[in-house]
């Protein structure tokens, strides 16, 4: 029987999406980004499916994520990029995980911890002002530190990379500017006698909007899960990987004037019928979508009524025939008219990334297409 609340992840669709994205960046290697629990889809199953689809690389943010991939048996190229001081660099290097240096100081920390010559990628900040050595004196310092360490045989520099700020806004001149800065940073590294190795700059949006920046590798996250980076950047040919569905825990008729859920933020104008969906913000469903989102049911849509609670929320069935145990679909590929992740993002006042990444709590997870 279908569980009370279920996330269904279609690995065949995920692999097909990776194929579609590969064709959009045909000259580049592919890094499947599986951080944040595979954008809520489950990191390890997505990582395995990505390898089956031919992804040369897996990308994660933290050391813990990278080590979890190794614990799950992945032995291919993995890059991680977000480490506060004290990160387990020795273990990462011991496990053949490539790490990112964002400053001369961080490179020194990596080298000091390394049990043997580490494979390190250098990150340049081309404008986003998050991680990476800012192009200018900070980058120059990192380049020189890397050149010195390389001359002493202490490091293998395997790549240089950066990250776009506005690639999801087609035509935003910031993207060209960042690409230009990146190329200058790569030139500076080469001029210092360091082979830049694998050069990479594009996220999903960049794959679509900035083909000149595909370079040696692209890092695909959101689009591989079948979700557009932004409404302005549709991704032709990909399909949503994830379906979130739940079985109605209760169905009841209410009279005109009935008030619904905490704060009585919705009131029935006419007598109507309500259904109780047994998931809430404990499962990562955004409370800000209260009174705004819809769910799919029987080929149509039902509106969410009132406040979304920790464990549950109410939908209005009206005169749609329904009974306890019937399945409603919060979001999915849309084959039965159900909303998309993007629809929930609009209702919740956020982006699709946050809708899926927040999924947590008491869902059963079902994987289709496991090999
Ligand atoms: C998350 C992330 C990506 C993937 O971005 P999408 O927009 O999901 O494709 C790529 N590179 C880095 C550094 C990231 O942190």
């Amino acid at each position: 029987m279908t569980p009370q609340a279920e996330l269904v992840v279609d690995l065949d669709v995920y692999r097909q999406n990776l194929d579609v994205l590969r064709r959009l960046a045909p000259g580049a290697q592919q890094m499947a980004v599986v951080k944040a629990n595979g954008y809520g889809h489950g990191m390890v199953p997505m990582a395995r499916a990505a390898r089956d689809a031919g992804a040369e690389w897996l990308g994660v943010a933290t050391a813990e994520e990278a080590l979890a991939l190794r614990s799950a048996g992945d032995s291919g190229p993995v890059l991680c990029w977000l480490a506060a001081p004290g990160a387990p660099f020795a273990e990462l290097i011991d496990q053949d995980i490539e790490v990112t240096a964002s400053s001369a100081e961080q490179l020194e920390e990596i080298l000091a911890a390394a049990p043997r010559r580490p494979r390190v990628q250098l990150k340049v900040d081309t404008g986003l002002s998050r991680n990476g050595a800012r192009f200018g004196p900070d980058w120059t310092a990192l380049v020189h530190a890397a050149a010195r360490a390389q001359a002493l045989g202490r490091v293998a520099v395997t790549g240089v990379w950066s990250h776009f700020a506005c690639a999801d806004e087609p035509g935003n001149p910031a993207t060209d500017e960042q690409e230009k800065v990146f190329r200058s940073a790569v030139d500076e590294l080469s001029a210092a006698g360091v082979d830049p190795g694998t050069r990479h700059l594009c996220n999903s949006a960049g794959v679509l909007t900035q083909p000149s920046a595909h370079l040696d590798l692209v890092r695909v996250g959101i689009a591989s899960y079948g979700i557009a980076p932004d409404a302005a950047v549709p991704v032709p040919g990909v399909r949503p990987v994830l379906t979130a569905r739940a079985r109605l825990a209760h169905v009841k008729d209410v009279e005109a004037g009935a008030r619904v859920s905490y704060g009585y933020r919705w009131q029935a104008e006419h007598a109507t019928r309500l259904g109780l969906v047994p998931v809430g913000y404990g499962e990562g469903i955004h409370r800000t979508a209260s009174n705004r989102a819809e769910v799919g049911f029987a080929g149509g849509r039902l509106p969410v009524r009132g406040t979304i609670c920790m464990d549950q929320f109410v939908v209005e069935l009206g005169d749609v025939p329904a009974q306890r145990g019937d399945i409603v679909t919060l979001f999915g590929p849309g084959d039965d008219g159900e909303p998309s992740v993007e629809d929930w993002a609009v209702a919740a006042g956020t982006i699709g990334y946050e809708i899926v990444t927040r999924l947590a709590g008491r869902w059963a997870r079902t994987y289709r297409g496991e090999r």
Side-chain angles (χ1 to χ4, degrees):
M1 194 191 275
T2 303
Q4 164 161 321
E6 185 181 35
L7 298 177
V8 183
V9 179
D10 192 328
L11 298 170
D12 286 324
V13 171
Y14 178 62
R15 288 186 289 259
Q16 286 158 15
N17 290 347
L18 286 171
D19 286 345
V20 167
L21 292 166
R22 188 178 285 281
R23 284 195 291 277
L24 290 171
Q29 293 193 335
Q30 185 175 65
M31 177 183 288
V33 181
V34 294
K35 64 187 179 184
N37 197 27
Y39 289 53
H41 294 61
M43 181 173 73
V44 168
M46 304 323 281
R48 285 199 184 118
R51 294 299 194 195
D52 286 340
E56 290 88 349
W57 285 84
L58 298 176
V60 290
T62 68
E64 288 68 25
E65 292 174 319
L67 293 170
L69 288 172
R70 288 290 185 256
S71 299
D74 188 88
S75 57
V78 172
L79 177 68
C80 64
W81 51 70
L82 191 60
F89 286 119
E91 201 180 344
L92 290 169
I93 291 153
D94 191 50
Q95 303 259 349
D96 284 319
I97 291 158
E98 297 204 9
V99 298
T100 299
S102 276
S103 64
E105 183 193 341
Q106 192 173 37
L107 178 61
E108 202 36 62
E109 188 191 351
I110 294 165
L111 298 180
R116 58 188 153 83
R117 193 163 64 139
R119 295 168 65 82
V120 178
Q121 302 207 14
L122 308 182
K123 181 166 189 198
V124 56
D125 174 12
T126 54
L128 185 60
S129 303
R130 294 195 327 198
N131 228 341
R134 197 140 185 99
F135 184 64
D138 290 353
W139 176 245
T140 302
L142 177 55
V143 165
H144 288 160
R148 275 194 306 277
Q150 179 185 264
L152 296 169
R154 294 178 73 204
V155 71
V157 173
T158 54
V160 53
W161 66 279
S162 190
H163 196 48
F164 282 135
C166 308
D168 56 353
E169 298 170 24
N172 188 321
T175 306
D176 278 341
E177 286 162 21
Q178 283 192 272
E179 183 182 341
K180 206 167 148 227
V181 172
F182 184 73
R183 290 180 184 277
S184 303
V186 172
D187 289 346
E188 186 178 339
L189 187 63
S190 303
V194 180
D195 181 339
T198 306
R199 302 161 304 152
H200 49 112
L201 189 47
C202 280
N203 54 4
S204 296
V207 167
L208 287 139
T209 62
Q210 196 73 2
S212 59
H214 288 170
L215 301 173
D216 302 318
L217 178 152
V218 294
R219 306 184 302 267
V220 290
I222 197 74
S224 67
Y225 302 98
I227 301 165
D230 187 275
V233 186
V235 189
V238 303
R239 278 170 49 79
V241 170
L242 185 64
T243 300
R245 59 188 195 176
R247 302 174 70 226
L248 292 177
H250 199 81
V251 170
K252 68 172 58 167
D253 293 315
V254 296
E255 67 288 4
R259 295 172 291 184
V260 170
S261 194
Y262 289 131
Y264 286 165
R265 295 210 171 81
W266 189 80
Q267 185 164 19
E269 273 176 32
H270 320 278
T272 189
R273 173 169 277 214
L274 304 175
L276 184 65
V277 182
V279 293
Y281 57 80
E283 281 59 57
I285 300 304
H286 285 246
R287 188 170 171 277
T288 50
S290 296
N291 264 329
R292 299 164 64 108
E294 297 175 323
V295 302
F297 182 68
R301 301 248 183 126
L302 306 173
V304 172
R305 297 303 194 197
T307 303
I308 292 175
C309 312
M310 186 184 295
D311 317 308
Q312 52 199 295
F313 64 86
V314 173
V315 293
E316 185 176 10
L317 291 156
D319 21 352
V320 179
Q323 45 187 327
R324 283 186 75 222
D326 283 354
I327 295 171
V328 299
T329 304
L330 282 78
F331 50 80
D335 296 341
D336 287 317
E338 74 272 14
S340 62
V341 165
E342 289 92 332
D343 292 331
W344 272 83
V346 170
T350 183
I351 55 177
Y353 293 80
E354 195 184 1
I355 296 296
V356 288
T357 305
R358 287 272 181 123
L359 293 168
R362 295 155 285 185
W363 301 97
R365 285 173 183 268
T366 303
Y367 290 89
R368 293 203 179 130
E370 257 174 332
R371 287 184 185 162

